[in-house]
Amino acid sequence: MPTNKNAFIRYKYLDTLLSDRHHYYDINDLTERVNDMMERDGLGMSVVRRTIEKDLVNMQLTPFSAPIDFEKKNGRNVYRYTDPTFSIFSQELSREERNLLCELLCTIGQFDGLDNFTWLENFKIGLGLEERRQIISFSNNPYLKNSNLLGTLFDQISNEVAIRLSYHTFNDATIRTIDFHPYLLKQYNDRWFLLGAADSDKHILTFALDRIDKVVPLPERKYIPCPDDIADRFDDIVGVTYYENRPVEHILCWVSDASMGYVDTKPIHGSYTPLKGDAEQQLRTEYPQLQGGMFFTLDCINNFELIRELCSYGKDLLVLRSDGTVAEDVRKRVSEMNEKYSELRT
C-alpha cells in the first residue's frame, strides 16, 4: 500500500480522536488507539510514536489546516482540536442525507424535553432541517424517576467513557459506589435499566435508573469495552435479569380461549411455539380437564420477570411442567397469593 494512502488512513483515525471531548489523549494514547483501529479494520500494519508526531504536524499544514492544540491534563500533554466541530473531512450533506437525518431525529424525538437531550433540537436547528409531523410514537414516561439520566448515560456509552456510579437498592438505602463501564440502556416494563461491567469483575451488572443516585464521568480511566454482543443475552430471558449460572428451561404451558389471542399475538418470549397436530392431541389426552385453549412451549432462563409474566394471566394461563424450577416457582407464587387472600377472609 502506498505511503501516502497509509498516512491518509491515519489522518482519518486521528481526526476522530482529536475531536473527542470525552477522553484525554497524549501522544502515547494516540499511537495506541491508531494501532488498535488499524488492527480492527484488518489493515495489518502498525505505527510508532514518531510517525504520529509527524502526522500531527502535517495535519496542521495545507490543505487540512487542522487547529490542533495541546494542554496539560494531570501532568500530560493531551492533543485535541481547539474547535470540536472541526473535521478535515467536513462536507455538505446531500439532499438524501438531510432527509434521512431528519427522519431519524424525528424518530428519536420521544426524548425531547429530557435533560441532556436538548442538543437534538439544537442539532436540527443548526442543520436547518425542516419540522415534520411525528409519525412514530414510542412509550415514554417523562415522570419516571431519574429519567434525566438517560441523556447523561447515553452520552457516556456512545463515547465509551467509564463512570463512577453511586446507587442504592430497594431494600437498603445505603449508598454504594462502583467504578463502572456502561454498555447498554434498555427499557422494560416502562422502566429503564443500565447494563455494564465493574472494573473488578467482567460479569454484566444491571442497575435500574431509579436506583442510581449519582453518575460521575471518569475520562482519565481507560474504558473496557464489552467483549461480547450484550444484546445476545436477551435471547434467552424475559426482561433484563440474567443469571449466567442458570440453564435455559423447556416450559410447557396451557392458555385458555379467553387469553389465547393475547398470547398468540404478543408472545411472552421469542421462543414461543404453539403445539399442533399429534403433539397437541397427546396433551389433550394427558390433560383432559383442560378444555379448549391452546398448548405452547417456551425456552427461557428462569428469572423474576418470567415468573411475574406467567402469573399475570391468572387462571387463564397454567404452567404444566418444566425441566427446571419454573413450574414449581409459579405454583409457589400462586400458593402464597392464595394464602394471603385466605388470611383476608378470616
Side-chain angles (χ1 to χ4, degrees):
M1 182 179 291
T3 303
N4 61 343
K5 190 171 183 179
N6 288 349
F8 188 79
I9 292 172
R10 296 195 302 273
Y11 295 166
K12 175 184 175 183
Y13 297 145
L14 288 169
D15 186 65
T16 301
L17 297 171
L18 293 170
S19 61
D20 185 349
R21 283 301 184 267
H22 296 83
H23 301 87
Y24 300 126
Y25 299 118
D26 63 17
I27 192 65
N28 294 319
D29 296 327
L30 291 173
T31 304
E32 180 183 354
R33 290 298 302 271
V34 168
N35 280 315
D36 289 343
M37 290 174 173
M38 290 193 295
E39 180 180 357
R40 176 200 65 194
D41 293 340
L43 298 178
M45 63 183 82
S46 62
V47 295
V48 296
R49 168 176 168 166
R50 181 58 182 159
T51 300
I52 299 299
E53 289 175 339
K54 291 181 179 179
D55 288 342
L56 293 174
V57 172
N58 291 333
M59 289 174 66
Q60 296 177 77
L61 303 176
T62 305
F64 302 118
S65 302
I68 301 174
D69 197 5
F70 70 86
E71 56 182 300
K72 286 283 188 179
K73 285 291 182 182
N74 300 325
R76 299 185 302 156
N77 287 330
V78 298
Y79 294 80
R80 54 177 45 181
Y81 287 147
T82 55
D83 178 3
T85 65
F86 176 85
S87 173
I88 61 175
F89 301 100
S90 295
Q91 61 181 2
E92 290 293 324
L93 291 172
S94 68
R95 181 182 179 87
E96 290 77 13
E97 289 170 333
R98 292 172 67 86
N99 288 337
L100 177 59
L101 185 56
C102 187
E103 290 298 333
L104 290 173
L105 290 175
C106 288
T107 298
I108 60 175
Q110 73 269 29
F111 293 114
D112 285 349
L114 296 183
D115 291 347
N116 297 306
F117 271 95
T118 54
W119 59 268
L120 279 176
E121 187 61 31
N122 294 333
F123 189 42
K124 285 189 285 187
I125 295 173
L127 291 174
L129 298 176
E130 63 183 27
E131 289 294 328
R132 298 193 179 193
R133 66 180 180 86
Q134 186 176 6
I135 59 175
I136 298 177
S137 178
F138 293 95
S139 175
N140 178 40
N141 181 3
Y143 307 107
L144 181 67
K145 184 179 178 181
N146 282 356
S147 61
N148 62 301
L149 288 177
L150 281 173
T152 299
L153 294 170
F154 175 90
D155 192 44
Q156 310 307 334
I157 294 172
S158 59
N159 290 287
E160 297 188 335
V161 178
I163 60 176
R164 180 157 294 149
L165 195 69
S166 299
Y167 70 98
H168 64 282
T169 67
F170 276 120
N171 300 320
D172 188 350
T174 303
I175 297 178
R176 299 173 172 84
T177 301
I178 183 173
D179 288 353
F180 195 68
H181 303 273
Y183 298 145
L184 180 70
L185 286 164
K186 183 173 177 61
Q187 186 184 38
Y188 174 72
N189 198 27
D190 290 332
R191 296 179 68 203
W192 282 95
F193 299 85
L194 173 67
L195 286 83
D199 265 348
S200 57
D201 193 347
K202 294 182 179 179
H203 292 298
I204 300 298
L205 304 176
T206 303
F207 295 93
L209 260 61
D210 52 14
R211 300 291 93 190
I212 295 176
D213 297 283
K214 189 177 182 181
V215 174
V216 178
L218 302 175
E220 72 282 1
R221 180 72 58 85
K222 184 174 182 179
Y223 182 83
I224 302 175
C226 186
D228 306 307
D229 186 349
I230 195 170
D232 288 346
R233 67 178 41 230
F234 299 107
D235 291 345
D236 295 325
I237 64 172
V238 171
V240 296
T241 307
Y242 182 87
Y243 297 97
E244 297 186 10
N245 59 341
R246 290 186 181 181
V248 174
E249 296 188 32
H250 187 66
I251 308 160
L252 174 64
C253 303
W254 172 87
V255 61
S256 70
D257 289 325
S259 294
M260 183 170 62
Y262 293 98
V263 172
D264 195 48
T265 55
K266 186 185 177 184
I268 295 171
H269 183 259
S271 62
Y272 162 77
T273 304
L275 299 178
K276 305 292 183 182
D278 293 342
E280 180 185 14
Q281 291 306 315
Q282 181 178 343
L283 290 170
R284 295 289 179 195
T285 302
E286 186 176 351
Y287 297 97
Q289 64 273 45
L290 299 178
Q291 299 297 312
M294 174 183 65
F295 295 93
F296 67 92
T297 61
L298 302 171
D299 293 282
C300 300
I301 293 174
N302 189 0
N303 66 8
F304 172 79
E305 294 98 314
L306 174 63
I307 302 302
R308 183 177 60 185
E309 185 69 19
L310 291 171
C311 291
S312 68
Y313 286 89
K315 64 180 179 57
D316 287 322
L317 192 154
L318 303 179
V319 178
L320 303 178
R321 57 175 180 259
S322 65
D323 54 11
T325 61
V326 169
E328 182 57 33
D329 287 347
V330 169
R331 292 189 184 99
K332 182 179 179 182
R333 173 77 67 88
V334 172
S335 177
E336 291 174 348
M337 185 165 57
N338 185 55
E339 289 178 6
K340 289 292 184 182
Y341 275 110
S342 297
E343 291 172 2
L344 293 175
R345 292 194 296 266
T346 57

Coordinates of all heavy atoms in Angstrom, one line a residue, residues 90-127:
S90 N -14.9 17.5 6.6 CA -16.2 18.2 6.5 C -16.7 18.4 5.1 O -15.9 18.8 4.2 CB -16.1 19.5 7.2 OG -15.8 19.4 8.6
Q91 N -18.0 18.1 4.9 CA -18.6 18.4 3.6 C -20.1 18.6 3.8 O -20.6 18.2 4.8 CB -18.3 17.3 2.6 CG -18.9 15.9 3.0 CD -18.6 14.8 2.0 OE1 -17.9 15.1 1.0 NE2 -19.1 13.7 2.3
E92 N -20.7 19.2 2.8 CA -22.2 19.5 2.9 C -22.9 18.2 2.8 O -22.5 17.2 2.1 CB -22.6 20.4 1.8 CG -22.1 21.8 1.9 CD -22.7 22.5 3.1 OE1 -23.9 22.3 3.3 OE2 -22.0 23.3 3.8
L93 N -24.1 18.1 3.5 CA -25.0 17.0 3.4 C -25.7 17.0 2.1 O -26.1 18.1 1.7 CB -26.0 17.0 4.6 CG -25.4 16.7 6.0 CD1 -26.6 16.9 7.0 CD2 -24.9 15.3 6.1
S94 N -25.9 15.8 1.5 CA -26.7 15.7 0.3 C -28.2 15.8 0.7 O -28.5 15.7 1.9 CB -26.5 14.4 -0.4 OG -27.0 13.3 0.3
R95 N -29.1 16.1 -0.3 CA -30.5 16.2 0.0 C -31.0 14.9 0.6 O -31.8 14.9 1.6 CB -31.2 16.4 -1.3 CG -32.8 16.5 -1.2 CD -33.5 16.8 -2.5 NE -34.9 16.9 -2.3 CZ -35.5 18.0 -2.1 NH1 -34.8 19.1 -1.9 NH2 -36.8 18.0 -2.0
E96 N -30.5 13.7 0.1 CA -31.0 12.4 0.6 C -30.5 12.2 2.1 O -31.2 11.7 2.9 CB -30.4 11.3 -0.2 CG -31.0 11.2 -1.6 CD -30.5 12.2 -2.6 OE1 -29.5 12.9 -2.2 OE2 -31.1 12.4 -3.6
E97 N -29.3 12.7 2.4 CA -28.7 12.6 3.7 C -29.5 13.5 4.7 O -29.8 13.1 5.8 CB -27.2 12.9 3.7 CG -26.4 11.9 3.0 CD -24.9 12.4 2.9 OE1 -24.7 13.6 2.8 OE2 -24.0 11.6 2.8
R98 N -29.9 14.7 4.2 CA -30.6 15.6 5.1 C -32.0 15.0 5.4 O -32.5 15.1 6.5 CB -30.8 16.9 4.4 CG -29.5 17.7 4.3 CD -29.6 18.9 3.4 NE -30.5 19.9 4.1 CZ -30.1 20.8 5.0 NH1 -28.8 20.9 5.3 NH2 -31.0 21.7 5.5
N99 N -32.7 14.4 4.4 CA -34.0 13.8 4.6 C -33.9 12.6 5.6 O -34.8 12.5 6.4 CB -34.6 13.4 3.3 CG -35.0 14.5 2.4 OD1 -35.2 15.6 2.9 ND2 -35.1 14.3 1.1
L100 N -32.9 11.8 5.4 CA -32.7 10.6 6.3 C -32.4 11.1 7.7 O -33.0 10.6 8.6 CB -31.6 9.7 5.7 CG -31.3 8.5 6.6 CD1 -32.5 7.6 6.8 CD2 -30.1 7.7 6.0
L101 N -31.6 12.1 7.8 CA -31.2 12.6 9.2 C -32.4 13.1 9.9 O -32.6 12.9 11.1 CB -30.1 13.6 9.1 CG -29.5 14.1 10.4 CD1 -29.0 13.0 11.2 CD2 -28.4 15.1 10.1
C102 N -33.2 13.9 9.1 CA -34.4 14.5 9.7 C -35.4 13.4 10.2 O -36.0 13.5 11.3 CB -35.1 15.3 8.6 SG -36.5 16.3 9.3
E103 N -35.6 12.3 9.4 CA -36.5 11.2 9.8 C -35.9 10.6 11.1 O -36.7 10.2 12.0 CB -36.6 10.2 8.7 CG -37.4 10.7 7.5 CD -38.8 11.1 7.9 OE1 -39.4 10.5 8.8 OE2 -39.4 11.9 7.2
L104 N -34.6 10.4 11.1 CA -34.0 9.7 12.3 C -34.2 10.6 13.6 O -34.5 10.1 14.6 CB -32.5 9.5 12.1 CG -32.2 8.4 11.0 CD1 -30.7 8.3 10.8 CD2 -32.7 7.0 11.5
L105 N -34.0 11.9 13.4 CA -34.1 12.8 14.6 C -35.6 12.8 15.0 O -35.9 12.9 16.2 CB -33.7 14.2 14.2 CG -32.2 14.3 14.0 CD1 -31.8 15.7 13.5 CD2 -31.4 14.0 15.3
C106 N -36.5 12.8 14.1 CA -37.9 12.8 14.5 C -38.3 11.5 15.2 O -39.1 11.4 16.1 CB -38.8 13.0 13.2 SG -38.7 14.6 12.6
T107 N -37.7 10.4 14.7 CA -38.0 9.1 15.3 C -37.5 9.0 16.8 O -38.2 8.4 17.6 CB -37.2 8.0 14.5 OG1 -37.7 8.0 13.2 CG2 -37.5 6.6 15.1
I108 N -36.4 9.6 17.1 CA -36.0 9.6 18.5 C -36.4 10.8 19.3 O -36.0 11.1 20.3 CB -34.4 9.4 18.6 CG1 -33.7 10.6 17.9 CG2 -33.9 8.1 18.0 CD1 -32.2 10.6 18.1
G109 N -37.4 11.4 18.7 CA -38.0 12.6 19.3 C -38.7 12.4 20.6 O -39.0 13.3 21.3
Q110 N -38.9 11.1 21.0 CA -39.6 10.8 22.2 C -38.7 11.3 23.4 O -39.2 11.4 24.5 CB -40.0 9.4 22.4 CG -38.8 8.4 22.6 CD -38.2 7.9 21.4 OE1 -38.3 8.5 20.3 NE2 -37.7 6.7 21.4
F111 N -37.5 11.6 23.2 CA -36.6 12.0 24.2 C -36.6 13.5 24.4 O -36.0 14.0 25.3 CB -35.1 11.6 24.0 CG -35.0 10.1 24.0 CD1 -34.6 9.4 22.9 CD2 -35.1 9.4 25.2 CE1 -34.4 8.0 23.0 CE2 -34.9 8.0 25.3 CZ -34.6 7.3 24.1
D112 N -37.3 14.2 23.5 CA -37.4 15.7 23.6 C -37.9 16.1 25.0 O -38.8 15.5 25.5 CB -38.3 16.3 22.6 CG -37.7 16.2 21.2 OD1 -36.5 15.9 21.1 OD2 -38.4 16.5 20.2
G113 N -37.2 17.1 25.6 CA -37.6 17.6 26.9 C -36.8 17.0 28.0 O -36.9 17.5 29.1
L114 N -36.2 15.9 27.8 CA -35.4 15.3 28.9 C -34.0 16.0 28.9 O -33.5 16.4 27.9 CB -35.1 13.8 28.6 CG -36.4 12.9 28.6 CD1 -35.9 11.4 28.4 CD2 -37.1 13.0 29.9
D115 N -33.5 16.2 30.2 CA -32.2 16.8 30.3 C -31.2 16.1 29.5 O -31.2 14.8 29.4 CB -31.8 16.8 31.8 CG -32.7 17.7 32.6 OD1 -33.4 18.5 32.0 OD2 -32.6 17.6 33.9
N116 N -30.2 16.9 28.9 CA -29.1 16.4 28.1 C -29.5 15.9 26.8 O -28.7 15.4 26.0 CB -28.4 15.2 28.9 CG -27.7 15.7 30.1 OD1 -27.0 16.7 30.1 ND2 -28.0 15.0 31.2
F117 N -30.8 16.0 26.4 CA -31.2 15.7 25.0 C -31.7 16.9 24.3 O -32.2 16.8 23.2 CB -32.3 14.6 25.0 CG -31.8 13.2 25.0 CD1 -31.6 12.5 26.1 CD2 -31.4 12.6 23.8 CE1 -31.1 11.2 26.1 CE2 -30.9 11.3 23.7 CZ -30.7 10.6 24.9
T118 N -31.5 18.1 24.9 CA -31.9 19.3 24.3 C -31.0 19.5 23.0 O -31.4 20.3 22.1 CB -31.7 20.5 25.2 OG1 -30.4 20.5 25.8 CG2 -32.7 20.4 26.3
W119 N -29.8 18.9 23.0 CA -29.0 19.0 21.8 C -29.7 18.5 20.5 O -29.3 18.9 19.4 CB -27.7 18.2 22.0 CG -27.8 16.8 22.2 CD1 -28.0 16.2 23.5 CD2 -27.9 15.7 21.3 NE1 -28.1 14.8 23.3 CE2 -28.1 14.5 21.9 CE3 -27.9 15.7 19.9 CZ2 -28.2 13.3 21.3 CZ3 -28.0 14.5 19.2 CH2 -28.1 13.3 19.9
L120 N -30.7 17.7 20.7 CA -31.4 17.2 19.5 C -32.0 18.4 18.7 O -31.9 18.5 17.5 CB -32.5 16.2 19.9 CG -32.0 14.7 20.1 CD1 -33.2 13.9 20.6 CD2 -31.4 14.1 18.9
E121 N -32.7 19.2 19.5 CA -33.4 20.4 18.9 C -32.3 21.3 18.3 O -32.5 21.9 17.2 CB -34.3 21.1 19.9 CG -35.1 22.2 19.3 CD -36.1 21.7 18.2 OE1 -36.5 20.5 18.3 OE2 -36.4 22.4 17.3
N122 N -31.3 21.6 19.1 CA -30.2 22.5 18.6 C -29.6 21.9 17.4 O -29.2 22.7 16.5 CB -29.2 22.6 19.7 CG -29.7 23.4 20.9 OD1 -30.7 24.2 20.8 ND2 -29.2 23.1 22.1
F123 N -29.4 20.6 17.3 CA -28.8 20.0 16.1 C -29.7 20.2 14.9 O -29.2 20.5 13.8 CB -28.6 18.5 16.4 CG -27.8 17.7 15.4 CD1 -26.7 18.3 14.9 CD2 -28.2 16.5 15.0 CE1 -25.9 17.6 13.9 CE2 -27.5 15.8 14.0 CZ -26.3 16.3 13.5
K124 N -31.0 20.0 15.1 CA -31.9 20.2 14.0 C -31.9 21.6 13.5 O -31.9 21.9 12.3 CB -33.3 19.8 14.4 CG -33.5 18.3 14.4 CD -35.0 17.9 14.6 CE -35.5 18.2 16.0 NZ -36.8 17.7 16.3
I125 N -31.8 22.6 14.4 CA -31.8 24.0 14.1 C -30.5 24.3 13.3 O -30.5 25.0 12.3 CB -32.0 24.9 15.3 CG1 -33.3 24.7 15.9 CG2 -31.7 26.3 15.0 CD1 -33.5 25.4 17.3
G126 N -29.4 23.8 13.8 CA -28.1 24.1 13.2 C -28.0 23.5 11.8 O -27.3 24.2 11.0
L127 N -28.6 22.4 11.5 CA -28.6 21.9 10.2 C -29.7 22.5 9.3 O -29.7 22.2 8.1 CB -28.8 20.3 10.3 CG -27.6 19.5 10.9 CD1 -28.0 18.1 11.0 CD2 -26.4 19.7 10.0

